[in-house]
Structure formats: structure tokens, C-alpha cells
Amino acid sequence: MLVAAAVCPHPPLLVPQVAGAAAAELDRLRAACAEAVRSLVEAGPDVLVVTGGDGSPASFPGDAAGSLRPWGPDVRVGPAGGEPVLPLSLTIGRWLLEHSAGAPEGRLPLRFEAVAADAPTAECAALGRRLADSAGRVALLVMGDGSARRVEKSPGYVHPDAVPYDDLLAAALGAGDSGALLALDPARAAELWVAGRAAFQVLAGAAHGAPPPAAELLREDAPYGVGYFVARWLW
């Protein structure tokens, strides 16, 4: 069953070596992510699963590696010498696990699960249920961004509904409202360039309809015109 979940964004700039001189701009976001990851470890799970969107679904073992070379410096995560197979969302997730205080690397089993960014809601929810049922105590690290159409300089240019949509996401993540996440329309999310929609619905499915007794939005930010959220759900 699911005992803890954390939501974090996955911009390459979250990694200081990629951000370069702009690294300090995301210090608070990194700190919030580290706090969320610590919550997962402190929940004492039997397995920690990292899930995030990609072009197609795929499962990766705990020793899978990733690289940020397509986005700048060849920052690698995972075992040295391992072939970098993890997509961006899971690579950033692994980086957070390796660079957060109390990181679980080497101390508990890991798994990585990519969900297709355009996967239907039912498929996302079913994946979440399978992940939650895969062990007695499961912790889930969910990697996903909000809308990339918030302002004129956003990657997808500006859309008038982007900020209200992100407000809805922030409210649902902060309240542990899996029903609101399951109600997200995939086509609408695609229109607003919401990269995390599928991963958020995996989380909702993993919750099995049981609201977390403790839910908290640790950080909400949009420094580059993209919505970023950090949240934790604890049972």
C-alpha cells in the first residue's frame, strides 16, 4: 500500500551544474524538494518508486542511470559507467534521491516507472494502483511540471487559462485531493503544456481513493514561466 508520496518538478535547471550562474534562483525549490524526499525515506517504505512522464511507458530497475547531456553538462546519475537510459523526469528524480539529506541510495529498493505523457486517465490510474500494490509499504516520488504557458516568455507562449489551471493543481496537491487530479482532462492539459498531468494521475490512482491524513504544498513557483509544485502526502 502507499504510505507516502512526494511531488517534485523536473526542470534540468534544478541541477546546479546545468543552471550555472542562475543556480541560486532555484535554491528554495531545491530545498523544498529535499524536504519532500526526506519525508519519503522517513516513512520507512519497503520500496521507493519514482514515476514521471515520457514519450512512451517503460519500467527501469533500481540501478538504471541517466544523463543530462542533452541539456548541457554531462551530469550523470545512477551507477558509474551505467548506460544512461532514464528519461528526463526520472533522471531528475534520481538526482534528487542522490542529493537530498537522508537519501535512500543503497538503503532501500528503488524502481523507476515512466508513464506516457499522453496516456489516458484510466491507464494512469491503473498504473498507480499497481505501483501501490507492489509491496507492503510503498513510497512514491512523482515528477511533474505544471503549465508551460503562463507568460509570454513561457516555452509555449501565454495562454489565459494557464495560471488558473496551475492554481487548481496547487490546490489539489496541497489538499491530497486525488479526485480533482483524476478529473484532469488529458486534452486540456496538452493544450496548456502541462507536462505532469499523467504522473499526477498515477499518484491519484495509487492513493486508491483514500485521502492522506496529512497533505501539504511545500512550494509553488514559476520562475521561468512554468508551474512548479512540491508537495507531500502521508498516510
Side-chain angles (χ1 to χ4, degrees):
M1 67 175 183
L2 191 65
V3 296
V7 173
C8 293
H10 53 71
L13 292 175
L14 200 60
V15 177
Q17 295 98 310
V18 177
E25 296 177 8
L26 296 183
D27 280 349
R28 292 183 179 179
L29 187 65
R30 289 188 201 94
C33 290
E35 182 177 350
V37 169
R38 284 195 297 271
S39 298
L40 300 181
V41 179
E42 291 168 358
D46 299 321
V47 62
L48 195 159
V49 183
V50 185
T51 187
D54 191 27
S56 59
S59 299
F60 304 93
D63 61 355
S67 171
L68 292 173
R69 184 65 186 90
W71 295 272
D74 189 13
V75 178
R76 294 189 173 232
V77 296
E83 181 183 357
V85 296
L86 295 176
L88 174 63
S89 62
L90 302 184
T91 295
I92 297 297
R94 176 140 218 164
W95 183 87
L96 288 174
L97 294 180
E98 293 180 356
H99 291 82
S100 300
E105 286 287 311
R107 299 198 292 118
L108 62 86
L110 299 175
R111 287 173 53 196
F112 297 88
E113 196 78 32
V115 59
D118 60 354
T121 297
E123 183 178 320
C124 298
L127 173 59
R129 290 191 293 270
R130 290 198 300 273
L131 296 179
D133 293 342
S134 64
R137 295 178 62 83
V138 177
L140 193 61
L141 177 55
V142 180
M143 307 302 297
D145 296 347
S147 176
R149 302 192 65 180
R150 294 174 59 100
V151 296
E152 291 184 359
K153 293 184 178 180
S154 294
Y157 194 60
V158 66
H159 192 294
D161 295 337
V163 172
Y165 192 98
D166 277 355
D167 289 344
L168 182 153
L169 285 176
L173 294 172
D177 189 346
S178 57
L181 296 179
L182 288 175
L184 298 174
D185 176 53
R188 184 62 166 162
E191 178 186 357
L192 296 175
W193 289 37
V194 179
R197 188 276 310 171
F200 298 154
Q201 292 187 324
V202 171
L203 167 60
H208 277 294
E216 183 179 6
L217 185 68
L218 298 173
R219 184 78 181 169
E220 179 184 4
D221 209 346
Y224 306 117
V226 181
Y228 299 147
F229 314 99
V230 182
R232 59 182 166 196
W233 297 8
L234 303 174
W235 282 262

